[in-house]
């Protein structure tokens, strides 16, 4: 009786605003309840109410405009940085004091920067690498003793092979750390030249581009631009334009390839797989940089080529055993007694493979 009263009260009230069906699970919960009328027809107490929600596409596309905007913001942030401004002011000050043309100013300033900053770091890098190599050979002599001590510990404490291997690795790392601390030659110190040379190269390139683009809107910037337009030499009289003869870009690429090959030929031991991967990557990068250098202003390409030529001469000089002893670089097992004769033989063999 109470059920009939409740049912009649519910029949007289609308249900469309009380029930929402969002999914199939909700529709299964809200079953259709039917009632027979006097004519035998079936009436539903309430029907399914389906609400269509708007479809939202949550996928975010990467547009070309966004990439271009990001590149512009990155370029402006580097071009207006304090490091670039310091190098730019230094170039202007050096040019005004010496009275040299801009081509000679770029060459001279590049040689000074490489001599005073990167050359000492390169010598220190060779010093650290020689020390680390000597430690590696010294550690090989200790391996046999560590193996004997590990075998004794295995029998004494009834250790399994896994525990023995862990003890051996731990002892080996401890001896390596002791030797590194003794000679003060952590391998990460050899990367200092990279962390200094790359930022200087980037800042110098942006400083030269700022001079070409007149980053500062004043009469002095216009005068500097006019001096760059007539401060070239030979086949590049205008330093604000690209080298259309491709002499400097090709020289830049070949010099970088020569540096890579010299480092490759100066190794007595067979290179590892990782070393070959990095070497091939640098070779490809050197070739890719040739068309890039052909599109930038000649002043930038002149700086790049001068820096690479200095690096080539630096690598050739640091191969000399007598010079290494004068610079207090210790002798290492991989050092060549006659590096230039060894490279000559390597080049001859490669030429015979190509042109038998």
């Amino acid at each position: 009786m109470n059920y009939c009263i409740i049912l009649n009260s519910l029949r007289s009230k609308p249900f469309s605003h009380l029930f929402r069906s969002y999914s199939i699970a909700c529709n299964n919960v809200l079953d259709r309840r039917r009632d027979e009328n006097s004519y035998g027809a079936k009436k539903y107490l309430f029907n399914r109410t389906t609400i269509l929600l708007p479809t939202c596409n949550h996928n975010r596309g990467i547009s070309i405009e966004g990439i271009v905007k990001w590149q512009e913001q990155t370029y402006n942030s580097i071009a207006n940085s304090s490091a670039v401004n310091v190098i730019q002011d230094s170039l202007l000050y050096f040019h005004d004091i010496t009275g040299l043309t801009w081509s000679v100013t770029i060459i001279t300033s590049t040689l000074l920067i490489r001599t005073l900053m990167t050359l000492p770091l390169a010598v220190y890098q060779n010093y650290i690498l020689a020390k680390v190599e000597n430690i590696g050979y010294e550690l090989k002599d200790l391996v046999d003793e560590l193996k004997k001590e590990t075998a004794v510990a295995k029998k004494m404490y009834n250790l399994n092979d896994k525990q023995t291997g862990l003890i051996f690795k731990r002892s080996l790392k401890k001896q390596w750390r002791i030797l590194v601390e003794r000679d003060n030659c952590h391998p990460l110190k050899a990367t200092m030249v990279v962390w200094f040379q790359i930022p200087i190269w980037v800042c110098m390139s942006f400083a030269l581009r700022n001079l070409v683009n007149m980053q500062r809107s004043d009469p002095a910037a216009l005068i500097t631009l006019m001096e760059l337009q007539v401060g070239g030499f030979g086949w590049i009289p205008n330093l604000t334009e690209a080298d259309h003869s491709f002499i400097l870009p090709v020289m830049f690429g070949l010099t970088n390839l020569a540096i890579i090959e010299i480092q490759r030929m100066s190794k007595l031991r067979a290179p590892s797989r990782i070393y070959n991967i990095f070497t091939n990557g640098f070779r490809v990068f050197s070739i890719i940089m040739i068309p890039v250098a052909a599109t930038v202003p000649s002043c930038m390409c002149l700086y790049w080529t001068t820096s690479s030529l200095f690096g080539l001469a630096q690598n050739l000089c640091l191969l000399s055993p007598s010079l290494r002893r004068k610079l207090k670089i210790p002798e290492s097992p991989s050092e060549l007694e006659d590096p230039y004769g060894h490279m000559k033989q390597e080049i001859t063999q490669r030429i015979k493979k190509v042109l038998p």
Side-chain angles (χ1 to χ4, degrees):
M1 184 67 182
N2 293 331
Y3 176 77
C4 295
I5 295 172
I6 295 171
L7 192 61
N8 290 328
S9 63
L10 291 175
R11 188 181 299 172
S12 61
K13 294 181 180 180
F15 295 94
S16 58
H17 67 282
L18 297 177
F19 297 92
R20 290 184 178 179
S21 177
Y22 293 100
S23 63
I24 298 175
C26 294
N27 290 331
N28 291 333
V29 175
L30 300 176
D31 295 326
R32 292 182 179 180
R33 299 179 181 179
R34 295 173 294 184
D35 185 25
E36 296 291 340
N37 58 3
S38 57
Y39 297 99
K42 295 180 179 180
K43 279 190 176 181
Y44 296 109
L45 296 178
F46 57 90
N47 296 326
R48 293 181 184 178
T49 305
T50 304
I51 298 176
L52 298 177
L53 298 176
T55 58
C56 298
N57 187 11
H58 297 286
N59 296 327
R60 289 177 130 186
I62 301 176
S63 62
I64 299 177
E65 296 179 356
I67 296 175
V68 172
K69 186 177 180 181
W70 175 79
Q71 289 178 347
E72 291 178 354
Q73 292 176 352
T74 305
Y75 174 83
N76 292 329
S77 62
I78 298 176
N80 298 321
S81 62
S82 57
V84 174
N85 291 329
V86 168
I87 293 180
Q88 184 176 340
D89 294 337
S90 301
L91 282 173
L92 293 171
Y93 181 74
F94 183 74
H95 174 262
D96 293 338
I97 285 181
T98 58
L100 302 172
T101 59
W102 267 108
S103 58
V104 182
T105 300
I106 293 170
I107 294 173
T108 308
S109 59
T110 304
L111 296 178
L112 286 175
I113 291 173
R114 292 297 301 262
T115 303
L116 298 177
M117 298 187 68
T118 58
L119 180 59
L121 291 175
V123 174
Y124 184 69
Q125 180 188 38
N126 282 266
Y127 172 82
I128 294 296
L129 292 177
K131 285 273 190 179
V132 171
E133 187 176 357
N134 292 331
I135 285 177
Y137 278 90
E138 186 177 351
L139 191 64
K140 286 182 179 179
D141 298 334
L142 297 175
V143 169
D144 296 333
E145 296 181 5
L146 292 176
K147 287 182 179 179
K148 293 178 182 178
E149 292 178 359
T150 307
V152 172
K154 181 180 180 181
K155 293 181 180 179
M156 185 178 298
Y157 298 104
N158 295 324
L159 303 176
N160 54 28
D161 294 337
K162 185 177 181 180
Q163 293 173 339
T164 306
L166 291 175
I167 292 175
F168 175 76
K169 290 180 180 179
R170 193 174 299 170
S171 301
L172 194 63
K173 289 182 180 179
K174 182 180 179 180
Q175 292 297 326
W176 171 261
R177 186 171 61 253
I178 292 173
L179 293 174
V180 168
E181 292 176 355
R182 183 197 67 186
D183 293 346
N184 192 17
C185 59
H186 197 280
L188 288 178
K189 292 183 178 180
T191 62
M192 289 178 61
V193 63
V194 177
W195 301 116
F196 275 86
Q197 187 172 344
I198 292 179
I200 291 173
W201 188 84
V202 172
C203 293
M204 187 75 171
S205 301
F206 272 87
L208 292 171
R209 186 178 281 276
N210 287 345
L211 295 177
V212 174
N213 294 336
M214 290 192 302
Q215 193 77 6
R216 301 173 182 175
S217 56
D218 53 3
L222 180 59
I223 294 173
T224 302
L225 178 63
M226 296 173 64
E227 290 175 347
L228 285 169
Q229 290 175 348
V230 296
F233 64 92
W235 67 93
I236 46 171
N238 189 353
L239 294 176
T240 62
E241 295 180 355
D243 185 7
H244 302 292
S245 63
F246 291 94
I247 296 176
L248 281 179
V250 173
M251 187 184 300
F252 170 63
L254 293 178
T255 304
N256 290 332
L257 287 174
I259 294 172
I260 296 170
E261 297 305 322
I262 286 173
Q263 293 178 350
R264 171 67 179 82
M265 289 185 293
S266 63
K267 305 293 182 182
L268 285 175
R269 295 179 298 177
S272 61
R273 182 181 178 184
I274 298 177
Y275 183 84
N276 288 330
I277 292 173
F278 277 102
T279 302
N280 293 328
F282 286 127
R283 287 169 179 167
V284 174
F285 180 76
S286 300
I287 296 174
I288 292 175
M289 285 299 294
I290 294 177
V292 174
T295 58
V296 300
S298 298
C299 57
M300 290 179 60
C301 191
L302 178 62
Y303 163 66
W304 293 354
T305 306
T306 305
S307 180
S308 296
L309 288 172
F310 186 92
L312 177 62
Q314 172 184 288
N315 281 272
L316 287 173
C317 292
L318 290 178
L319 289 176
S320 173
S322 59
L323 181 61
R324 291 171 70 90
R325 299 295 86 77
K326 291 179 181 179
L327 296 173
K328 298 182 179 180
I329 299 175
E331 187 177 357
S332 59
S334 64
E335 183 177 302
L336 299 173
E337 296 181 0
D338 185 13
Y340 307 112
H342 176 76
M343 286 191 296
K344 184 179 179 181
Q345 293 178 359
E346 289 282 339
I347 294 172
T348 304
Q349 292 177 0
R350 293 188 182 186
I351 292 175
K352 287 181 178 180
K353 289 181 181 180
V354 179
L355 300 174

